Amino acid sequence: MGCGTSSSTKDRKSEKALKAALVIQNWYRGYSARLKARQRYALTIFQSIEYADEQGQLQLSNFFSFMLENYTQIHEKDPELVARLFGRTLQDSKDRQEYVSFVDVPDSYNGPRLQFPLTFTDIDLLVEAFKQQQILHAHYVLEVLFETKRVLKQMPNFTQVKTSPTKEITICGDLHGKLDDLFLIFYKNGLPSGSNSYIFNGDFVDRGKHSMEILMILFVSFLVYPNDLHLNRGNHEDFMMNLRYGFTKEILHKYKLHGKKILQILEDVYTWLPIGTIIDNEILVIHGGISESTDLNLLHRIERHKMKSVLMPPISIDEDQDTDLKKTKTGANVVPREGKTNESPSEQLPKHEWEQVIDILWSDPRGKRGCYPNTSRGGGCYFGPDITSKILNKFQLKMLIRSHECKPEGYEICHDGKVVTVFSASNYYEEGSNRGAYIKLCCDMTPRFFQYQVTRATCLRPLYQRVNTMESSAIRILKERMLSRKTDLIRAFQLQDRSKSGKLSMGQWAFSMENTLGLNLPWRSLSPHLVTTDKNGNINYMSTFQDIHIQKPVKEAQSTLIETLYRYRSDLQIIFNVIDSDHSGLISMEEFRAMWKLFNSHYSIHIEDFQVDELAERMDLNKDGSIDFNEFLKAFYVVHKLEKLNKSDANLL
Amino acid sequence: MADDKEREELVVAEYHRKIKEAFEVFDHEANNTVDVREIGTIIRSLGCCPSEGELHDLIAEVEEEEPTGYIRYEKFLPVMTEVLLERRYRPIPEDTLLRAFEVLDSSKRGFLTREELIKYMTEEGEPFSQEEMEEMLSAAVDPESNSIHYKDYIAMMVVDES
């Protein structure tokens, strides 16, 4: 009897414990799932904005063409500028002498000293030095760049690589200046050597803070092991992209004396990077992707070094070549191009070849069949599984390995196993946003994937804290984006708000946001972070802007003007940098005005010229008739009322 | 009556858009399918709290006849809409959660030791995987006492969610 009672009490007790456990588990799983969803939303925000930014590049490229066709003053006064825009090649030996030998390494320099010809000791030396946060002297940087160019010139457009049972190859994706990830890869997988081959599939630079260090390690390793360290060009190995995405700034900051020289040579070196690698005649490794018209046979033959930049599409010169003919026909004056007989048309790729390269560097795979223009990025295309099969079959290939897109797990397989994306920059958007990965391949064996995530002490935080960080970061940049389109957004809201109540339904608000910003985001789920809602579930749409505003550099400046300048500040920065051929940071007031006029008309912006003039003058940036454009642009930054300022400055510029 | 019907249609339309948004975020290849392993996350992100068993049944409803590992949006939408309309799988209220912890804390100390929590979560009910257990511990365990002060823990999680 005693046993009976105690066992039934035990039963009741264990039943209660079971129920309690179920409750806790149920609650936890729900909570954990919502955390992961929030993480995914944050990532979607980062990615959409990143691609929308890249789309801005296309507008910019159209602008340059427009500018060249219409801005005759630049042509006449600054042949240097035209040369840059049309592309020019440095003569080798003469320039090398001139650039390198005039850069001395002082005795006081205690950074790494490279010994030419380079050996594996130099690789070690660099890795150790960079771990100590040292900077490689410009003299060595220039030497490495010249030497790399010389060796790259001998490489074909596609490097052919063979694996064997005793020799695997490791493939890494985008690094984007994240040196810690490279160190982690070398730590886990060993330094490159004759028995440890690597392919680095583009985008070594931009965004991260150590693009130069990564580039130096990769180039030095390449020079020591040219047959075992393979480099493919990515869309960021492009001097125009570097202007926008941070590498140019990094160089000018780390190399105040010789940065400009480095930039000039770098432009050239990029163009000599191979387009891709082919492993065992069956695996194609390229940075972006393919299109339905991808022709590998053609790509093998093109003169790849003529592909200067994605922002420099070949201008159709054919009409202009027959200058006399045209003059006779129309009697009008053609833009004079005689000034640069050794540059111009022959230095560009024919349009169809240029497009082939853009597809390789910019395309993304998608589930939808067919081939469509890549509207998110503004370059390359989206290619479906049918395109993959078609192209792989056409060129007797089995698999495509590419990078270019950040993936939460560092890699992703799609198109029935025929396309693999590998991305090697962990925590790319934010601490905890994603893992990095690399692939090890050998003969016919299935590829093996290795994942990692760089962690610092603070990173070993619980998931909910990491998600919070990521989420705040994403919401912040989304809000800045919204702010840069404030006028358009308000107009869209008011159009739908017939009764002028200041409120919209969730559906109406979401529609306006998506349409105006052009970002395909889960607006309903994000709304609690962005706006306030009343008790009926309707949105107070002006609350969108309540805790954020653009700091006015001058009190009297008009809000629309400020908003416009803020919105286009990245584009303006690039344009200024291109016009400023000697990288002095200054352009003449005249050039500024002329350029602004063109910008105004091309982008259909309704800002009076005199307003911009006035602003520039008020800001007192005139230094002997020149504008310090960095100062000009720095003045437009966003104030987040609820946060401290320092972080926002650093992130914006 | 017509008004009620209209109102219901509006509600359904809003649910549809909400479900679509949540689905799209996990639809990596933009082809209206998601990996079946992410369905649980999607359903829970929409505010529902099915148990593992209930989730299993839901998946069976939306899967293809010959399971492909992927769930199509066309099958998911009607099932999920019903779930939202019927307000199934409501989340656990805070005080129920607190009482559950108190049940496990039979000696009413106000905390559970690490070992106790592990034992209950991995042996009872619908056991946690090792990953789930580690994840929960990383946030719940107070590093100084190496125990879980569940009242504080719950309060922290509730704040985080709102």
Side-chain angles (χ1 to χ4, degrees):
Chain A
M1 221 113 62
C3 294
T5 349
S6 71
S7 81
S8 76
T9 335
K10 244 204 199 137
D11 280 343
R12 253 182 294 128
K13 256 193 157 172
S14 60
E15 201 194 300
K16 275 185 116 186
L18 169 68
K19 283 211 171 109
L22 277 171
V23 163
I24 297 174
Q25 285 157 347
N26 181 312
W27 163 80
Y28 185 76
R29 285 183 170 122
Y31 169 75
S32 168
R34 282 186 291 279
L35 262 188
K36 300 212 165 86
R38 280 165 61 195
Q39 190 176 35
R40 183 49 65 89
Y41 289 156
L43 231 114
T44 307
I45 294 176
F46 284 128
Q47 219 152 44
S48 318
I49 292 187
E50 178 182 20
Y51 297 167
D53 260 349
E54 288 180 352
Q55 198 182 96
Q57 299 286 60
L58 190 67
Q59 258 206 319
L60 204 54
S61 111
N62 288 336
F63 176 70
F64 281 123
S65 313
F66 178 76
M67 189 168 81
L68 282 174
E69 284 158 26
N70 294 285
Y71 193 11
T72 49
Q73 280 169 287
I74 293 188
H75 287 190
E76 280 153 17
K77 291 192 184 158
D78 194 350
E80 259 273 299
L81 171 64
V82 180
R84 290 198 73 188
L85 294 175
F86 269 113
R88 81 198 143 180
T89 22
L90 296 170
Q91 301 121 317
D92 296 320
S93 45
K94 174 178 162 234
D95 290 323
R96 184 175 188 151
Q97 254 243 301
E98 179 189 310
Y99 282 85
V100 180
S101 51
F102 292 152
V103 179
D104 280 324
V105 186
D107 288 330
S108 56
Y109 169 72
N110 54 7
R113 290 170 187 263
L114 301 176
Q115 299 251 41
F116 286 80
L118 297 167
T119 62
F120 68 85
T121 338
D122 296 289
I123 303 178
D124 259 330
L125 189 64
L126 272 189
V127 170
E128 287 316 304
F130 291 153
K131 281 187 178 158
Q132 311 286 337
Q133 317 274 11
Q134 291 176 340
I135 293 186
L136 183 64
H137 196 275
H139 174 96
Y140 298 115
V141 173
L142 290 165
E143 286 241 61
V144 169
L145 289 177
F146 269 110
E147 193 57 20
T148 304
K149 177 181 163 184
R150 188 185 70 79
V151 179
L152 280 177
K153 266 175 121 164
Q154 297 158 22
M155 301 274 163
N157 292 347
F158 288 88
T159 319
Q160 303 277 3
V161 167
K162 297 256 173 293
T163 60
S164 73
T166 48
K167 195 171 179 185
E168 279 185 310
I169 189 161
T170 306
I171 303 164
C172 299
D174 297 27
L175 284 168
H176 280 302
K178 306 267 186 145
L179 192 55
D180 284 344
D181 287 272
L182 185 58
F183 285 157
L184 190 49
I185 296 172
F186 285 161
Y187 175 71
K188 285 172 74 112
N189 198 51
L191 286 174
S193 72
S195 52
N196 194 13
S197 296
Y198 276 91
I199 299 177
F200 285 92
N201 201 14
D203 280 11
F204 323 124
V205 301
D206 275 336
R207 301 189 195 277
K209 301 205 170 74
H210 300 280
S211 301
M212 182 48 97
E213 284 73 36
I214 291 202
L215 211 57
M216 283 299 109
I217 293 178
L218 291 181
F219 283 169
V220 165
S221 307
F222 167 70
L223 290 172
V224 178
Y225 300 110
N227 298 318
D228 292 294
L229 192 301
H230 310 284
L231 300 168
N232 292 339
R233 190 175 184 184
N235 63 311
H236 278 260
E237 275 72 57
D238 177 327
F239 77 98
M240 286 280 190
M241 296 292 280
N242 294 164
L243 280 170
R244 186 196 277 264
Y245 290 104
F247 189 27
T248 307
K249 208 161 156 217
E250 183 187 321
I251 293 179
L252 292 174
H253 178 74
K254 284 180 177 162
Y255 296 96
K256 295 191 165 66
L257 263 185
H258 303 290
K260 298 168 200 173
K261 283 189 190 155
I262 295 177
L263 283 172
Q264 282 181 308
I265 318 242
L266 193 53
E267 277 177 39
D268 257 355
V269 176
Y270 282 154
T271 65
W272 283 106
L273 286 166
I275 296 171
T277 310
I278 300 178
I279 305 176
D280 295 333
N281 277 323
E282 50 183 34
I283 302 182
L284 177 63
V285 186
I286 45 177
H287 178 73
I290 52 178
S291 77
E292 62 192 344
S293 49
T294 293
D295 182 353
L296 287 181
N297 295 327
L298 174 71
L299 284 166
H300 275 294
R301 296 192 312 258
I302 66 169
E303 295 177 84
R304 70 178 188 270
H305 68 285
K306 290 185 178 173
M307 173 65 171
K308 296 293 168 192
S309 163
V310 68
L311 291 187
M312 301 290 184
I315 299 175
S316 40
I317 313 269
D318 355 78
E319 320 110 317
D320 295 327
Q321 274 194 321
D322 315 71
T323 339
D324 294 323
L325 263 165
K326 185 153 192 194
K327 244 186 178 160
T328 335
K329 265 196 198 156
T330 61
N333 260 329
V334 177
V335 167
R337 294 192 199 279
E338 313 96 45
K340 351 150 308 340
T341 38
N342 52 338
E343 286 117 358
S344 94
S346 59
E347 286 302 305
Q348 295 178 86
L349 278 180
K351 193 157 202 276
H352 69 285
E353 287 181 9
W354 184 85
E355 277 167 2
Q356 288 266 337
V357 180
I358 293 287
D359 286 339
I360 297 285
L361 299 181
W362 285 77
S363 301
D364 292 314
R366 285 292 178 268
K368 196 164 160 201
R369 296 172 64 83
C371 188
Y372 309 88
N374 190 326
T375 44
S376 298
R377 298 197 198 249
C381 64
Y382 290 131
F383 61 100
D386 51 330
I387 305 290
T388 301
S389 301
K390 178 173 150 217
I391 300 290
L392 288 181
N393 285 337
K394 188 170 177 196
F395 298 100
Q396 284 128 19
L397 298 164
K398 284 205 189 139
M399 191 196 284
L400 171 64
I401 298 182
R402 42 88 65 177
S403 305
H404 197 42
E405 285 182 292
C406 175
K407 297 291 176 192
E409 292 302 312
Y411 73 94
E412 192 172 275
I413 307 176
C414 64
H415 291 192
D416 268 330
K418 297 212 183 85
V419 174
V420 175
T421 303
V422 62
F423 193 87
S424 302
S426 67
N427 304 326
Y428 178 56
Y429 291 116
E430 178 59 76
E431 213 177 273
S433 65
N434 64 292
R435 291 195 163 110
Y438 57 87
I439 309 176
K440 289 189 82 85
L441 268 189
C442 170
C443 306
D444 282 322
M445 297 190 344
T446 348
R448 295 183 295 145
F449 298 89
F450 293 82
Q451 298 167 296
Y452 53 84
Q453 195 156 15
V454 166
T455 49
R456 275 159 268 135
T458 48
C459 249
L460 299 169
R461 297 183 298 166
L463 183 62
Y464 82 95
Q465 279 183 14
R466 286 182 276 138
V467 171
N468 274 337
T469 307
M470 224 181 116
E471 193 177 52
S472 329
S473 202
I475 297 292
R476 218 160 170 281
I477 65 171
L478 180 56
K479 280 188 160 167
E480 286 174 5
R481 194 88 181 176
M482 284 156 45
L483 189 60
S484 76
R485 304 296 297 269
K486 181 170 173 181
T487 315
D488 291 336
L489 276 172
I490 295 183
R491 199 178 304 140
F493 292 150
Q494 286 173 340
L495 256 169
Q496 301 214 54
D497 180 18
R498 302 292 167 78
S499 53
K500 307 221 185 293
S501 57
K503 296 189 199 263
L504 288 177
S505 71
M506 177 66 82
Q508 289 172 313
W509 177 80
F511 176 79
S512 307
M513 295 295 280
E514 175 136 347
N515 251 37
T516 313
L517 295 176
L519 294 172
N520 180 11
L521 292 175
W523 294 107
R524 285 165 184 78
S525 313
L526 295 173
S527 61
H529 296 284
L530 303 173
V531 282
T532 57
T533 345
D534 67 14
K535 50 181 162 57
N536 296 324
N538 290 319
I539 311 256
N540 303 311
Y541 55 79
M542 286 311 283
S543 65
T544 313
F545 307 106
Q546 72 189 9
D547 54 358
I548 181 171
H549 67 271
I550 304 173
Q551 183 70 18
K552 280 188 186 174
V554 168
K555 245 177 72 181
E556 299 82 2
Q558 246 201 5
S559 291
T560 11
L561 170 63
I562 301 297
E563 185 186 315
T564 307
L565 288 170
Y566 173 73
R567 179 162 150 202
Y568 288 105
R569 71 196 187 293
S570 300
D571 292 351
L572 287 171
Q573 179 142 52
I574 296 185
I575 294 169
F576 285 143
N577 271 303
V578 172
I579 293 182
D580 176 29
S581 345
D582 62 353
H583 295 288
S584 60
L586 302 170
I587 59 171
S588 74
M589 199 62 197
E590 211 177 280
E591 280 174 333
F592 176 69
R593 278 197 200 103
M595 200 229 64
W596 179 257
K597 254 200 174 67
L598 278 174
F599 190 81
N600 220 350
S601 68
H602 182 78
Y603 280 81
S604 306
I605 298 173
H606 308 294
I607 302 282
E608 299 294 336
D609 298 338
F610 76 85
Q611 285 180 298
V612 185
D613 265 0
E614 231 173 63
L615 187 63
E617 282 193 29
R618 284 272 181 84
M619 286 163 68
D620 199 25
L621 297 171
N622 245 355
K623 298 175 181 167
D624 306 318
S626 294
I627 290 239
D628 182 335
F629 57 82
N630 284 316
E631 288 305 310
F632 181 73
L633 291 173
K634 256 197 207 150
F636 302 92
Y637 60 88
V638 173
V639 178
H640 294 263
K641 268 200 202 147
L642 310 171
E643 295 182 45
K644 301 208 179 87
L645 276 183
N646 20 1
K647 202 169 179 212
S648 62
D649 285 351
N651 281 342
L652 281 180
L653 306 155
Chain B
M1 291 304 115
D3 270 342
D4 280 344
K5 185 149 198 278
E6 217 182 271
R7 222 172 294 146
E8 199 195 303
E9 274 174 14
L10 281 173
V11 167
V12 169
E14 258 309 294
Y15 277 163
H16 279 186
R17 281 186 225 118
K18 228 182 149 189
I19 296 169
K20 184 164 205 287
E21 260 188 10
F23 193 88
E24 272 177 0
V25 166
F26 290 89
D27 176 14
H28 307 299
E29 294 197 30
N31 59 358
N32 287 329
T33 65
V34 301
D35 189 317
V36 65
R37 290 166 293 182
E38 313 218 79
I39 282 288
T41 313
I42 299 177
I43 295 176
R44 287 170 172 140
S45 77
L46 287 164
C48 303
C49 287
S51 67
E52 289 292 279
E54 289 164 332
L55 184 60
H56 220 79
D57 294 336
L58 267 175
I59 291 180
E61 264 188 80
V62 295
E63 241 173 359
E64 303 296 319
E65 281 170 10
E66 299 253 354
T68 59
Y70 288 96
I71 306 293
R72 287 187 301 124
Y73 178 66
E74 297 80 39
K75 285 204 112 180
F76 181 69
L77 181 65
V79 173
M80 195 64 219
T81 314
E82 276 304 298
V83 167
L84 289 180
L85 279 171
E86 290 170 17
R87 303 177 68 83
R88 267 192 263 161
Y89 316 128
R90 298 273 79 213
I92 313 273
E94 199 182 321
D95 45 324
T96 314
L97 184 58
L98 182 58
R99 266 180 283 136
F101 274 104
E102 284 170 351
V103 162
L104 298 182
D105 177 20
S106 43
S107 21
K108 309 287 169 240
R109 298 155 297 174
F111 65 84
L112 287 173
T113 67
R114 198 192 186 105
E115 292 69 34
E116 284 171 339
L117 186 64
I118 293 178
K119 177 164 166 298
Y120 283 121
M121 294 295 102
T122 57
E123 289 177 24
E124 302 275 1
E126 291 176 325
F128 272 174
S129 67
Q130 193 187 357
E131 202 185 320
E132 284 173 316
M133 193 69 249
E134 277 171 17
E135 217 178 79
M136 183 179 190
L137 288 171
S138 74
V141 173
D142 165 37
E144 281 172 40
S145 57
N146 213 25
S147 58
I148 295 95
H149 294 267
Y150 46 85
K151 221 169 172 191
D152 295 334
Y153 174 56
I154 295 174
M156 192 165 58
M157 296 294 107
V158 165
V159 166
D160 184 51
E161 285 247 84
S162 61

